[in-house]
Every structure is written in C-alpha cells, then in structure tokens.
Amino acid sequence: MASSSSSSSSSPPPPPPRRSVFDAAYIRAEFAAAGISPHFIPLIWKYVLQNPRCGDLDAVPSLPAAAYALLRQKFQPTTSTLTTAAESKDHTTTKLLIRLKNGESVEAVIMRYDTRLGKYDGKPRPGGVRSTLCVSSQVGCKMGCRFCATGTMGFKSNLSSGEIVEQLVHASRYSQIRNVVFMGMGEPLNNYTALVEAIQVLIGSPFQLSPKRITVSTVGIIHSINKFNNDLPNINLAVSLHAPDQDIRCHIMPAARAFPLVKLMNALQSYQNESKQTIFIEYIMLDGVNDQEQHAHQLGKLLEMFKAVVNLIPFNPIGSSNNFKTSSEHNVKKFQKILRGIYNIRTTIRQQMGQDIAGACGQLVVSLPDERSAGGATLLSDIEDIRI
C-alpha cells in the first residue's frame, strides 16, 4: 500500500517571480506568445507612470481580457520600491534610495537647473527651471575608480532594463524629468543590453524623451563604444577621461589598464566620424595629481582633433579614508583658461549640487559609514542644456 507521504512530497514548484512591466523585451515576448498586440504595452506603461503607487494592473483601461490574465500571472507594475527621498537644503537636489527585488539598493538623483543662467552668444538664454535625473545601471561597480564612492562597494549585480526605467517612474513623483544622465552607480556599458533596451523605452511612448537629452557616461569600454552609434543613434556619449596620459589614468582608475588611452582615443575618433556627435569629456580635478598646467596642455593636444566639450569636475570627498584633495579654484580656472584660450576647446566647470545629502558627483554609494562633506548650491545651468 503506497504511503501518503510520497505523494505529498512531490508538490508543484512555485511559480516564477513576477517581472516588471518595464522589462520591455520580456513583456513583448509574452504578449507575442499570447497573440496580444504589442500596441497595448505603452498604454500599460502610461498608466503606471501616471499612477506610480498602483498595486495591480487590473485598472489599466481598454486592454483585451487575455492581457489582464497575463499581467496578473507574470507581471507587476514595478519590482523596485522607493525607500527614502532626501531633499537638499536649497531644494535643487533630491536623492532617491530605491530597493530592488533582489534586496539590494541603488541611488538616483534629481537635479534641478535653471537654463536661463549664463549667456549664449552674448545674449540671455531662454528657458526656466528644468530637471535632470541621474540614474544607476548597476549595484556597485567593477571599475574601482579611487575617487568614486561607488567603487568602494565593489560590483554586486546588474540592473534589468525595467529597474533602470523604474528609476524614472519613481522620480516622476517629485519632478517632471526632462534629461536623463547615466552617471549614477555602475558602468553603463558593462550592462549594455539592459542599457540599450531601457533607453529605447525612454525615447518611445509614453516617456518620449528626446535622444539629445539622454547622456551615457563610460570610463571607456572600447568594444561597446564601437557599436554605440549603431545601437543608440543621437544619444550623447560622455567619457570619464580624468587624465591626459595612460600612467595617471591607471593610477586613479585601475580599470584603465584594460583600455589603453591610444586605443580609446582611436575608438572615439571612429565614433565621432560615424556619428557626427559632440563628445563630452569628464575630467575630475584632483589636487597635485592631474590639475597642473602641463596636464591642461596634454589634454588640449589630446583633444585637438575632436569636437568635444570638457566638463571639469571638482572632487567631492567620499569619507575620511579618501586619498585625494579637491583642486583649488585657482587651478581649476587656470586649467579651463588654457583649454579655452590656447586650444579653443569648450570647457565648463561642473557646479556642486547635493553635497549636503551626499548626492554630488562621485558620492553615490549605499551604506558608506563616513560623514560626508556639507555644502549648499544654487540653481545651475545643466550640461544637457549646453547648445553645441
């Protein structure tokens, strides 16, 4: 006589976890397999964007019955949760802490800029206050840049395309986002497939972001730069160069050993020849390391043949254990003057935002125990609003 215990031990496996509706490739594949038109997918995204706190998808209007059944079984509105939102004292910056379904967390930062500040061709600039969202592409980062707080975490996991898009969904509760910069946690080009899929969602309905208002920052992953223009035409590319020669670059960015400067510059030249896009060069100013006059001349000669905008970034302390100091204002201005005056390279200085909530450039990290530096900021002109 068979025992009842043998039959009870063979219980069916639990259903797979439900995915984010913003995981575009997955929801499109599931809709196709069920014979449901993909034209309904942007309607679902629009509903979640307009109702970010919705608990289920039954209230999405005008879907076929089969779509509701599929959504209940395999999807949820978002798989990440907004844990906290910290506001800077001057209200220009909001830092979002977002918990992912795997239990890890990432940070995203909303930065509010005033496009009317400064002049263009000697005339007042039009516009008003606009918001840029700095998004993360990974939990932690493999690159280990010594001046960046995220590098202290090491690499933990890649974000799905849906988790990247969901950062914009969460941020939309606080501000209407006009620009998106992939300058948060992680190296975007090391999560290439999810990056491309997320951006394709962001430039389509219902988000409708202009490709010209999306910027992807990389330390210089050459094989991905080689296919960037084909996969992401008209998207801005920013390169975290940070040094004018290979030795200094390897000293402050250990991952640069895998991407020799000569090969990187050749890849960037090919990219620019093909895309006709201006390249943004990010350059962190480290006192006595890469901020001297000879470094400015080296950088000027390196970029002479490029159509580039250099963004000089004052170093933000990342706790008491860092090895670097911020360049003096005199050195930063001198550096800018050399690039502009001698090499005719458009050069901006990144103004500081969100230091009092550790939301400034290079400060994004989860659970860094040290005290951060504090500082205020005013409404600023945004790099995405530079008219080329």
Side-chain angles (χ1 to χ4, degrees):
M1 185 175 178
S3 67
S4 60
S5 61
S6 62
S7 60
S8 63
S9 63
S10 58
S11 57
R18 291 185 297 161
R19 297 274 289 269
S20 168
V21 291
F22 294 102
D23 277 328
Y26 184 71
I27 192 170
R28 287 182 185 128
E30 290 293 329
F31 269 48
I36 305 169
S37 170
H39 298 301
F40 291 108
I41 295 173
L43 298 178
I44 299 167
W45 292 342
K46 182 179 181 180
Y47 178 82
V48 177
L49 184 62
Q50 293 176 341
N51 302 274
R53 293 181 177 86
C54 66
D56 61 57
L57 297 162
D58 287 339
V60 180
S62 307
L63 300 181
Y68 291 111
L70 182 62
L71 291 172
R72 280 187 219 107
Q73 180 186 3
K74 295 192 174 182
F75 294 95
Q76 56 192 96
T78 58
T79 56
S80 62
T81 307
L82 180 59
T83 306
T84 58
E87 191 90 13
S88 64
K89 292 174 184 175
D90 58 13
H91 305 295
T92 62
T93 308
T94 305
K95 184 170 73 167
L96 309 178
L97 181 65
I98 298 168
R99 185 176 177 84
L100 308 177
K101 61 184 176 183
N102 65 0
E104 299 286 357
S105 293
V106 293
E107 293 180 334
V109 180
I110 303 168
M111 298 165 287
R112 299 171 186 89
Y113 299 87
D114 192 339
T115 62
R116 296 165 297 190
L117 296 178
K119 294 185 177 181
Y120 182 73
D121 281 347
K123 302 173 184 176
R125 298 179 61 177
V129 178
R130 309 257 172 83
S131 293
T132 289
L133 179 67
C134 178
V135 300
S136 295
S137 55
Q138 298 177 312
V139 182
C141 186
K142 294 177 182 176
M143 299 296 99
C145 298
R146 295 176 58 206
F147 50 81
C148 178
T150 306
T152 66
M153 295 174 61
F155 172 74
K156 296 187 177 181
S157 62
N158 281 322
L159 271 63
S160 71
S161 64
E163 289 170 332
I164 294 173
V165 175
E166 284 178 18
Q167 293 171 71
L168 179 56
V169 176
H170 293 308
S172 296
R173 291 161 56 176
Y174 295 89
S175 193
Q176 184 175 351
I177 303 301
R178 179 174 178 263
N179 305 315
V180 170
V181 295
F182 285 80
M183 297 181 183
M185 298 168 64
E187 164 54 58
L189 297 193
N190 273 347
N191 190 12
Y192 191 81
T193 301
L195 170 77
V196 172
E197 189 175 295
I199 289 176
Q200 288 171 344
V201 171
L202 295 181
I203 62 178
S205 178
F207 297 97
Q208 301 288 12
L209 289 179
S210 166
K212 294 179 181 179
R213 306 219 175 274
I214 299 176
T215 301
V216 176
S217 174
T218 176
V219 301
I221 312 296
I222 293 172
H223 63 274
S224 296
I225 291 172
N226 289 339
K227 54 186 179 178
F228 189 88
N229 182 61
N230 186 59
D231 293 331
L232 294 170
N234 300 314
I235 301 295
N236 295 311
L237 181 65
V239 180
S240 297
L241 199 63
H242 301 317
D245 66 50
Q246 180 70 357
D247 288 343
I248 298 175
R249 213 165 178 255
C250 288
H251 171 62
I252 62 177
M253 305 169 66
R257 293 185 181 90
F259 310 106
L261 192 57
V262 172
K263 290 185 177 180
L264 172 58
M265 300 313 289
N266 287 341
L268 292 175
Q269 190 70 73
S270 297
Y271 162 78
Q272 187 160 78
N273 290 344
E274 181 185 342
S275 69
K276 312 304 181 190
Q277 292 266 111
T278 297
I279 297 173
F280 291 90
I281 300 294
E282 298 167 302
Y283 195 98
I284 195 161
M285 298 294 286
L286 302 172
D287 184 49
V289 177
N290 65 351
D291 67 340
Q292 303 301 298
E293 289 187 30
Q294 71 264 27
H295 300 132
H297 286 289
Q298 283 179 281
L299 183 62
K301 290 169 184 171
L302 189 68
L303 298 175
E304 268 184 317
M305 303 304 293
F306 286 86
K307 184 183 179 185
V309 174
V310 175
N311 192 216
L312 302 179
I313 308 170
F315 170 65
N316 288 304
I318 55 172
S320 58
S321 61
N322 69 76
N323 301 309
F324 301 111
K325 294 180 180 178
T326 305
S327 297
S328 67
E329 186 177 353
H330 170 79
N331 280 2
V332 176
K333 292 282 180 65
K334 183 70 175 175
F335 205 99
Q336 180 189 43
K337 188 176 181 181
I338 291 171
L339 291 176
R340 278 181 168 178
I342 298 178
Y343 298 96
N344 198 29
I345 296 171
R346 189 160 187 190
T347 308
T348 62
I349 299 172
R350 183 174 298 180
Q351 303 298 320
Q352 299 308 286
M353 299 182 73
Q355 284 184 314
D356 57 324
I357 55 170
C361 181
Q363 289 187 314
L364 297 194
V365 65
V366 177
S367 299
L368 186 70
D370 296 292
E371 274 300 309
R372 317 300 183 94
S373 64
T378 53
L379 286 175
L380 306 165
S381 177
D382 180 9
I383 188 172
E384 266 51 64
D385 289 312
I386 293 174
R387 293 174 61 182
I388 306 302

